Amino acid sequence: MNKLIITVLGKDRPGIIAQVSNDLFDLGCNLENVNQMILQNQFAGFFIVDAPKKIEPRDLEEKLNKRENHNGLTIHVKILETNGSFDAQEPGREIFLITTIGPDQKGLVARFSSIIASFNANIVNLKAVFKGGTEPGANVMSYQVAVTNEVLSQDLFAALRKKAVELDLDIRIQHKNIFDAINKI
């Protein structure tokens, strides 16, 4: 078996996950992980599979696209590289949830992600919804950031809070464990 990552893009509609997962099953692949999202009206799905060794990524991509192109889906397959990859679950890493709310402006994600990167912290999940305008709650960015012991987390958080003030944004920074505990109650 070889691990492959498959990306699926197309206009959202019911049944995409069912179609693709059935295609993968028919082609002998074992589905290990799936993550999908809808951005406005577009579907984006990521599937990690164990594929039979006899199937080359290019052949699998061709077969999947042959089955799904008429449904408006674009599919890309590549080998999943695992050597030297970042592991957010690795000991010594903590996950923080950082949420900003406020008026929409160009470059919000670029400005905050640049600060996070400058501290060598890693964004492991990002959701941003921008509806424009200044209505509170209409423009939300939510980051999950993995912070190692080597990162000066208080300096990182201070820099993020300073940028939020400059941009007239409300910012909340919370350890994921605290967030999870509060939301269990």
Side-chain angles (χ1 to χ4, degrees):
M1 301 295 259
N2 54 352
K3 286 193 189 258
L4 303 175
I5 183 164
I6 300 164
T7 57
V8 179
L9 301 173
K11 186 176 179 186
D12 187 40
R13 61 182 157 61
I16 293 175
I17 296 282
Q19 287 175 250
V20 174
S21 61
N22 275 298
D23 291 341
L24 292 168
F25 176 70
D26 289 345
L27 295 167
C29 297
N30 184 36
L31 193 57
E32 289 191 348
N33 297 99
V34 178
N35 197 347
Q36 63 96 180
M37 65 187 80
I38 308 300
L39 298 173
Q40 297 187 6
N41 68 351
Q42 296 298 305
F43 173 92
F46 306 92
F47 299 73
I48 293 177
V49 300
D50 258 342
K53 282 188 176 180
K54 63 183 181 186
I55 295 180
E56 291 293 322
R58 187 175 303 171
D59 295 336
L60 181 61
E61 182 175 299
E62 186 178 309
K63 289 176 182 177
L64 289 169
N65 277 309
K66 189 177 251 183
R67 290 175 177 219
E68 298 301 336
N69 270 351
H70 69 281
N71 289 323
L73 298 178
T74 301
I75 298 173
H76 181 73
V77 178
K78 69 178 265 188
I79 295 171
L80 180 66
E81 296 175 20
T82 56
N83 292 343
S85 62
F86 181 87
D87 182 2
Q89 305 298 322
E90 188 174 303
R93 297 184 198 275
E94 297 182 82
I95 303 292
F96 288 86
L97 306 177
I98 300 166
T99 304
T100 65
I101 301 171
D104 188 17
Q105 303 167 52
K106 287 184 179 177
L108 288 176
V109 173
R111 293 175 189 171
F112 280 90
S113 62
S114 294
I115 292 170
I116 293 166
S118 73
F119 281 84
N120 203 28
N122 193 38
I123 298 169
V124 295
N125 195 357
L126 166 63
K127 291 184 181 175
V129 176
F130 302 109
K131 295 182 179 173
T134 58
E135 180 183 328
N139 305 296
V140 178
M141 294 187 299
S142 179
Y143 298 86
Q144 286 189 23
V145 178
V147 177
T148 65
N149 294 336
E150 293 82 32
V151 173
L152 299 172
S153 58
Q154 294 310 312
D155 291 351
L156 167 63
F157 301 152
L160 292 169
R161 287 186 178 104
K162 180 180 177 188
K163 183 56 71 180
V165 168
E166 288 174 20
L167 299 172
D168 194 27
L169 300 174
D170 179 35
I171 187 167
R172 296 177 194 143
I173 300 172
Q174 192 171 39
H175 194 284
K176 185 177 184 305
N177 293 345
I178 294 171
F179 177 85
D180 291 342
I182 290 171
N183 287 296
K184 283 182 182 175
I185 298 173

